[in-house]
Amino acid sequence: MVEGGIGDRTAQALKNLAAVLQEAGSSLRNVVKVNVYLDDMTNFAAMNKVYDTFFPQEPKPCRTCVAVKGLQLRTDVEIDCTAHLEKEDRAPPTRFHIPFIGDF
């Protein structure tokens, strides 16, 4: 668990998402949808202040923010996102051939 307040944990969650996106050939600037889960909506302003530093562009990604009764590891914020790949980074579709052997 990241020490500090919800702002610190929001920043770490978004850094983690950025790292995953980069590894997949994308980035935060390609995010189209974000889901934020808070354990208490009174934390929204603190989370949003940090969130805005990671998404300075306009328009910002579509976002849903909901309060939940409990989060894994007893954290106070959880974030997931959907992003697209860069057009030039897209590889052609991979085709697999799986031979049929036996009966179902």
Side-chain angles (χ1 to χ4, degrees):
M1 177 80 84
V2 174
E3 296 294 324
I6 190 163
D8 300 304
R9 287 182 286 284
T10 298
Q12 188 61 56
L14 291 168
K15 287 177 189 175
N16 292 350
L17 284 174
V20 170
L21 290 169
Q22 182 178 9
E23 194 64 29
S26 192
S27 69
L28 288 175
R29 74 177 176 273
N30 295 332
V31 171
V32 294
K33 175 71 169 98
V34 178
N35 296 309
V36 179
Y37 307 93
L38 298 174
D39 73 341
D40 186 338
M41 286 306 278
T42 61
N43 290 326
F44 180 82
M47 176 281 301
N48 197 53
K49 183 177 180 180
V50 175
Y51 179 92
D52 281 345
T53 67
F54 283 83
F55 294 101
Q57 77 277 5
E58 292 292 338
K60 295 192 183 311
C62 177
R63 178 176 69 179
T64 300
C65 183
V66 295
V68 296
K69 183 168 174 61
L71 293 168
Q72 292 182 355
L73 304 176
R74 296 192 172 134
T75 188
D76 48 9
V77 61
E78 190 170 309
I79 303 172
D80 67 57
C81 71
T82 302
H84 64 83
L85 296 174
E86 296 286 348
K87 287 184 180 180
E88 59 270 10
D89 292 339
R90 289 189 183 167
T94 303
R95 295 180 186 214
F96 295 97
H97 173 70
I98 302 172
F100 175 77
I101 300 172
D103 294 324
F104 285 106

